[in-house]
Amino acid sequence: MSDNYSTLDEWLYLVINYEKDVYPCYRIPYDEWVDEYVGGIEAKSIDEVKALLRCLLVPITRRIDISNYDAFVLMRDSKSEPYIELASSMSQNEIYKRLANGQDAWEGLTWVLELLPRNPYNAIKALQSYLLAQANLPDDRIIGIEQCTEIIMAKFIRFENSLDRLTKLKPVEFEWLIEYLYERMGYDTEWTLSTRDGGKDIIANIERPDGYEYVYVECKLYKTTKLKLETVRAFRDVMIENKVNRGVIFCTGYVNENLKKRDQRIQIWSYEDINVLLNAHLGSDWVDRLDILVDNKRRKYKRNN
């Protein structure tokens, strides 16, 4: 640890403003400071949060990376066959290729900031993929990326939007919002008219590398109404009749936890879950864009009501 800071605020100032050499600078120094930052994240602007993420995700080159590369070059250019063979076995190291091209040893991930605030789920997926791809990442970079994931979760996904705005929608508008959610998750969707939906509001399907998924979706826009067992049973019967083995119910009212576990083929999302899903795939400001999202669907389906 460098000795030019003693509080989180001092460390943040130095790192974000590049005032002095700070160590560590690619991770928040202490777990307690991470908790402090995340605990007060609601009061921080998106620009403030992204400024910190940018510092934690910049490309880096350590002295040891340069030292290792110099040793590789000496072996590669030596006249000793054992050294040349060893260097040949190391020649596919991407770090050495980057350094040879004048790049940093460890590529940065600041481009994931382009996914914020509207697509935090994919930002986190990108960070996780980077960790998988770079098996020998420096510890500071691993810790820093994990801290970035926690920060993105706190600011953009766990953000608590009020249910009030959602319950002002008409039921059909809520269905359109959930259909749009599935579209953002990569599904092909079909919205079913209420006169012929047969117990499902949306049909969604997607083909992934690990298989094909076909799902029925039912939307229940309640303020305080309890989701009834009879409603779940009726939905199950429609699934059985149509030989569909996966169903999802989105319910903004009260959902008993035991009811959620009653049938493994049916996933029931309450508002707390729905808010997280909408935040993750539409951005935490989806509430402010509800009118636009609904109007786009209304034009698509040429509905006036």
Side-chain angles (χ1 to χ4, degrees):
M1 302 289 178
S2 58
D3 60 3
N4 49 357
Y5 61 87
S6 58
T7 67
L8 172 61
D9 287 339
E10 289 177 356
W11 179 85
L12 286 170
Y13 179 83
L14 294 172
V15 168
I16 292 174
N17 293 284
Y18 306 100
E19 288 290 323
K20 296 178 180 179
D21 290 334
V22 182
Y23 180 78
C25 56
Y26 307 121
R27 65 176 174 90
I28 299 175
Y30 305 106
D31 290 341
E32 308 87 75
W33 287 7
V34 177
D35 295 339
E36 179 183 342
Y37 188 86
V38 168
I41 205 164
E42 188 172 343
K44 301 182 188 301
S45 69
I46 290 175
D47 286 343
E48 286 178 294
V49 172
K50 290 176 75 170
L52 173 58
L53 294 174
R54 190 174 298 112
C55 292
L56 299 180
L57 297 174
V58 294
I60 60 174
T61 300
R62 303 168 301 165
R63 284 192 288 268
I64 192 173
D65 298 320
I66 297 173
S67 176
N68 289 341
Y69 176 69
D70 289 343
F72 160 74
V73 171
L74 286 173
M75 288 189 293
R76 182 195 64 191
D77 297 342
S78 74
K79 296 181 180 180
S80 168
E81 284 300 322
Y83 282 156
I84 294 172
E85 288 181 11
L86 181 58
S88 177
S89 69
M90 301 164 60
S91 63
Q92 297 306 309
N93 188 313
E94 291 294 330
I95 293 175
Y96 296 159
K97 289 181 181 296
R98 286 192 286 270
L99 289 172
N101 290 329
Q103 299 170 278
D104 279 287
W106 301 96
E107 293 178 309
L109 282 160
T110 55
W111 58 267
V112 303
L113 300 180
E114 302 286 354
L115 295 168
L116 302 173
R118 294 291 171 84
N119 210 330
Y121 173 75
N122 280 338
I124 288 175
K125 279 180 61 179
L127 295 178
Q128 292 172 339
S129 295
Y130 184 79
L131 288 176
L132 284 174
Q134 302 290 334
N136 298 312
L137 272 175
D139 288 345
D140 278 358
R141 173 48 51 102
I142 293 172
I143 295 169
I145 289 176
E146 290 173 345
Q147 290 172 349
C148 287
T149 298
E150 188 173 351
I151 290 168
I152 292 171
M153 283 290 297
K155 182 62 178 178
F156 301 105
I157 294 183
R158 296 199 190 102
F159 181 82
E160 295 183 12
N161 284 296
S162 171
L163 173 61
D164 292 343
R165 182 66 184 85
L166 199 60
T167 54
K168 291 178 182 177
L169 295 177
K170 298 175 182 178
V172 68
E173 293 172 341
F174 181 54
E175 293 171 16
W176 292 342
L177 176 64
I178 298 305
E179 183 194 20
Y180 181 62
L181 169 64
Y182 271 88
E183 290 170 354
R184 288 295 299 264
M185 291 192 293
Y187 287 77
D188 293 322
T189 64
E190 177 189 348
W191 172 65
T192 62
L193 292 171
S194 58
T195 54
R196 56 180 178 84
D197 65 13
K200 76 277 185 189
D201 299 312
I202 301 160
I203 300 171
N205 63 86
I206 189 170
E207 188 160 5
R208 297 192 181 96
D210 59 348
Y212 181 79
E213 182 182 2
Y214 188 85
V215 57
Y216 276 2
V217 181
E218 182 80 355
C219 303
K220 297 297 181 184
L221 183 61
Y222 300 152
K223 290 187 178 180
T224 57
T225 305
K226 179 180 178 180
L227 182 65
K228 296 180 180 179
L229 175 59
E230 292 77 9
T231 301
V232 179
R233 283 175 173 168
F235 184 55
R236 178 205 60 194
D237 292 343
V238 171
M239 291 170 53
I240 293 173
E241 180 183 350
N242 291 278
K243 298 180 180 179
V244 174
N245 58 15
R246 173 155 159 71
V248 183
I249 297 175
F250 287 79
C251 179
T252 59
Y254 174 75
V255 180
N256 184 283
E257 289 299 317
N258 290 330
L259 189 58
K260 284 186 176 184
K261 303 172 185 177
R262 188 174 183 85
D263 192 326
Q264 292 185 344
R265 295 168 296 182
I266 299 175
Q267 192 165 28
I268 301 175
W269 296 115
S270 58
Y271 179 67
E272 182 178 344
D273 308 311
I274 296 169
N275 179 63
V276 167
L277 282 171
L278 291 172
N279 286 346
H281 297 283
L282 274 62
S284 55
D285 62 344
W286 60 266
V287 168
D288 301 325
R289 294 180 288 119
L290 265 180
D291 290 342
I292 296 174
L293 299 178
V294 168
D295 284 345
N296 288 341
K297 286 292 183 181
R298 181 176 288 108
R299 284 193 292 271
K300 175 180 178 179
Y301 293 119
K302 299 178 181 178
R303 298 280 293 235
N304 295 322
N305 56 350

